[in-house]
Amino acid sequence: MNRRRGLNHAETMATSLSDCGVGWVFGLPGGEISAFIEACRRADMRVVLTGHENSAALIAQVMGQITGTPAVCFATLGPGATNLATGMANAFLDRAPLLAVTAQIPHSSYASLTHQRIAVEKMFAPITKRSTVIGDRDSCELVRECISLAIEPRPGPVMLVLPSDVANQRCPCSDGKIEPSKKRSQVQHEDSLLRLRDRIAHSERPLFLIGLGTPMVAASAVRTLVETLQAPFLVTPKVKGILPEDHPLFLGVASGMAMDRDILETIRMADLIVGVGFDPVEADKTWFTETECVAIDSVSMAEGDYHPLEAIGNMVSLAGDLAGFIEKPCPWPDGLLEERRQVLHRVPRTSGGSVSPLGLIQGLRSTFPRNGIVTCDVGSHKLLMGQFWRSYEPGTFFMSNGLSGMGFGIPAAIAAQLVYPERAVMSVVGDGGMLMMAHDLVLIRELQLPIIIVVLADNSLSLIRISQERRGYPPCAVDFCGPRFDTLADAFGIRGEKATTIAEAQLAVERALEHQTSLLLEVPVDLQEYYELV
Ligand SMILES: Cc1ncc(C[n+]2csc(CCOP(=O)(O)OP(=O)(O)O)c2C)c(N)n1
């Protein structure tokens, strides 16, 4: 007896999601999505209200990234769906597994009703791996297919559009037992791996570039590969911590972070880039047109101007096999290695009335546990966090870098804290990003999450201010008079503090860590330092 017989589409979707291990559903409802919400509630999933659909999409995708099982975000039709767009685009370009469900006006009145009618499935097609309307087939099969699609490389978002009348209609049910869909078999190409090995053997100064396609489980195999060749490595921001950044072969963080000119010079000094899960979606410059590249990855990354000699397959086996094929190490000269390491060394600015952002980041790092999880938002502070925050373990650093969308930092911290209630979680954000996502404070309080948010307050969208000035324009529409973030936090029922020195900031963070309480810490920073570092 098929236990799904007689269920409607909403119930079938919810049951299938739950059967696939989906435990969390985030969103902001409208009346038309009610049947789906009720079905999720009955299927024992946690249904969580967010203050904006973008937060729902961001929380769910970071949760999916950490756990490997997609979480769900939902929205109502029309404006609810359009509000999901930035979060979905973020999942698309940051390669994060995510399943979204939006309502749609009833199928029966679609042709006649124009109020709130947006062709949601078409709107989301370019920013999802698949975008489709529920109704003409078994929703259980469809949900399972979509979950597999969201997870398989490159991971990404899938959109399911549920017309409100279809939600309550009986779902056609395939009689046979539905097996969980199998992952595609990973074919390993030994020939390409050997060609790649030969190319590495002919190189004099290879440089590893480890990117977001490297799964956490491959960390140890990748470390063996790097240490076997004894060549230095760069990481991209989205995979910070995959190898410890106090490793003697670590030469910095590539892809548009602070000190990018120095990183590009390091890249130019190499005669071969060995990409490991490197995805050019993180590169804001096309240095790969001038430098020869080889790469291992789970899917081909060849696109645009990036055409490396690739070996495609399971990343753990590829890294392990390649390490086994390497006949002799190829280290860089000691002096050069040291010089490239030193070039990134920067001393925080001491002049200026307010706190140095770099000094603050270094101070926070020394206070925060080695395995603590940190997220950041988008802006000047992100470029410093990417380069100067030291990460030591896989999965301990999160930023938006494919889309680079403001608003990412706090939802990402919420996801991390929900997955790891016992671990220290901190989000470092600009004041612009904080204001954009202030509604998330409601959720932090509601779920009693001991997240520490540090706001680098400079009363400016500083990255854009700098960009305008570098283009020869006076600053326009970038400066603002921010609120007192400590009192804002109080208004939300969260502890708020203001620190005017690095030592005060460290003390506040230490206290919050000790008492495991949430904290919104405002630190007025000196934006002049950004002009020197970004
Ligand atoms: C949603 C979105 N809108 C606009 C931008 C363009 N943008 C990039 S950084 C930035 C400024 C962020 O300001 P703030 O949060 O104060 O951080 P800061 O630059 O001062 O560190 C803006 C507007 C963006 N990336 N994402």
Side-chain angles (χ1 to χ4, degrees):
M1 176 72 181
N2 190 325
R3 71 184 178 92
R4 293 187 304 103
R5 193 176 296 282
L7 298 186
N8 65 32
H9 278 281
E11 291 161 343
T12 305
M13 288 169 74
T15 313
S16 312
L17 288 166
S18 173
D19 287 351
C20 290
V22 175
W24 292 87
V25 182
F26 302 91
L28 195 157
E32 290 77 0
I33 195 77
S34 300
F36 177 69
I37 294 174
E38 173 59 6
C40 290
R41 191 186 68 80
R42 287 196 190 190
D44 282 337
M45 287 184 276
R46 284 285 303 271
V47 184
V48 177
L49 168 66
T50 59
H52 191 290
E53 293 80 351
N54 185 26
S55 276
L58 292 169
I59 295 170
Q61 69 192 253
V62 174
M63 204 172 235
Q65 249 170 348
I66 297 175
T67 62
T69 303
V72 169
C73 60
F74 71 84
T76 191
L77 74 183
T82 55
N83 262 359
L84 269 186
T86 306
M88 293 294 277
N90 197 82
F92 190 62
L93 291 186
D94 277 27
R95 320 303 193 200
L98 173 64
L99 212 78
V101 179
T102 72
Q104 183 55 291
I105 55 178
H107 184 66
S108 55
S109 41
Y110 195 80
S112 52
L113 204 65
T114 47
H115 178 65
Q116 294 193 312
R117 187 179 69 196
I118 297 278
V120 175
E121 74 288 1
K122 290 199 183 109
M123 177 188 157
F124 281 88
I127 52 169
T128 52
K129 292 179 85 174
R130 181 173 180 185
S131 178
T132 191
V133 182
I134 300 278
D136 55 2
R137 53 176 288 212
D138 182 353
S139 296
C140 175
E141 279 178 355
L142 183 59
V143 162
R144 284 170 188 257
E145 274 170 31
C146 290
I147 288 186
S148 294
L149 182 66
I151 297 169
E152 71 191 31
R154 312 167 189 182
V158 175
M159 168 62 85
L160 293 173
V161 180
L162 181 60
S164 57
D165 53 351
V166 171
N168 291 305
Q169 284 163 10
R170 192 168 159 173
C171 175
C173 174
S174 5
D175 268 346
K177 187 171 176 292
I178 294 174
E179 298 292 338
S181 42
K182 295 188 179 66
K183 283 197 171 170
R184 272 189 216 157
S185 66
Q186 303 268 18
V187 185
Q188 192 149 317
H189 299 284
E190 189 164 314
D191 287 354
S192 23
L193 206 54
L194 287 171
R195 277 203 299 276
L196 215 130
R197 185 270 318 259
D198 291 345
R199 183 58 201 88
I200 294 173
H202 285 102
S203 122
E204 287 180 0
R205 219 180 274 162
L207 174 65
F208 286 103
L209 176 53
I210 308 170
L212 71 78
T214 310
M216 285 195 255
V217 289
S220 150
V222 171
R223 184 171 184 153
T224 305
L225 171 62
V226 168
E227 291 176 351
T228 304
L229 192 62
Q230 280 296 304
F233 69 92
L234 299 170
V235 298
T236 64
K238 284 202 71 74
V239 78
K240 271 172 75 68
I242 191 82
L243 299 191
E245 293 180 6
D246 51 1
H247 193 287
L249 293 170
F250 174 66
L251 285 189
V253 180
S255 295
M257 296 297 108
M259 319 302 299
D260 201 38
R261 235 175 295 143
D262 298 297
I263 293 289
L264 288 172
E265 209 174 310
T266 300
I267 290 176
R268 267 182 227 114
M269 285 175 178
D271 63 354
L272 182 72
I273 300 298
V274 184
V276 176
F278 170 67
D279 183 335
V281 75
E282 280 201 82
D284 65 344
K285 301 182 188 68
T286 53
W287 49 263
F288 35 78
T289 52
E290 301 152 24
T291 313
E292 195 182 342
C293 302
V294 296
I296 56 172
D297 215 315
S298 43
V299 279
S300 175
M301 285 296 148
E303 201 178 331
D305 286 334
Y306 181 63
H307 288 279
L309 171 63
E310 290 179 311
I312 306 298
N314 175 289
M315 287 286 284
V316 179
S317 336
L318 280 172
D321 291 352
L322 185 56
F325 288 153
I326 285 169
E327 280 156 9
K328 62 177 178 50
C330 192
W332 285 28
D334 279 349
L336 183 62
L337 196 67
E338 194 46 32
E339 180 213 304
R340 297 323 297 164
R341 285 164 64 85
Q342 283 306 320
V343 92
L344 295 178
H345 187 72
R346 282 291 179 283
V347 178
R349 229 175 108 95
T350 44
S351 58
S354 36
V355 170
S356 139
L358 174 59
L360 177 63
I361 287 170
Q362 291 172 341
L364 291 173
R365 186 63 192 102
S366 64
T367 304
F368 203 60
R370 197 173 159 97
N371 75 343
I373 297 174
V374 73
T375 72
C376 68
D377 211 69
V378 172
S380 303
H381 68 282
K382 160 180 145 169
L383 308 194
L384 267 63
M385 285 293 290
Q387 193 62 267
F388 296 114
W389 180 270
R390 287 286 148 261
S391 300
Y392 304 108
E393 293 185 18
T396 55
F397 188 97
F398 292 87
M399 76 157 61
S400 164
N401 205 35
L403 185 70
S404 292
M406 272 172 85
F408 175 85
I410 298 175
I414 292 173
Q417 192 77 83
L418 286 172
V419 178
Y420 298 114
E422 305 302 326
R423 282 171 73 175
V425 176
M426 178 159 71
S427 187
V428 176
V429 302
D431 41 9
M434 179 68 239
L435 288 171
M436 201 177 260
M437 305 309 267
H439 57 81
D440 279 329
L441 297 176
V442 173
L443 194 52
I444 290 174
R445 179 175 179 216
E446 172 96 12
L447 299 173
Q448 301 205 341
L449 302 175
I451 293 171
I452 297 169
I453 300 173
V454 181
V455 184
L456 275 61
D458 54 13
N459 292 315
S460 181
L461 305 173
S462 70
L463 189 62
I464 309 308
R465 178 181 231 278
I466 294 168
S467 150
Q468 288 178 346
E469 290 188 294
R470 287 193 180 147
R471 287 164 206 232
Y473 305 128
C476 181
V478 285
D479 294 337
F480 54 90
C481 182
R484 286 271 310 261
F485 286 99
D486 51 350
T487 46
L488 180 79
D490 283 345
F492 279 91
I494 285 179
R495 182 170 177 76
E497 288 190 50
K498 182 170 179 171
T500 53
T501 64
I502 293 167
E504 277 175 23
Q506 285 175 305
L507 258 179
V509 168
E510 274 165 18
R511 268 196 306 267
L513 287 172
E514 194 188 323
H515 298 118
Q516 296 199 346
T517 48
S518 47
L519 169 70
L520 176 56
L521 178 66
E522 173 185 349
V523 188
V525 293
D526 172 16
L527 66 76
Q528 285 311 314
E529 191 177 58
Y530 290 142
Y531 284 82
E532 294 158 21
L533 295 177
V534 305

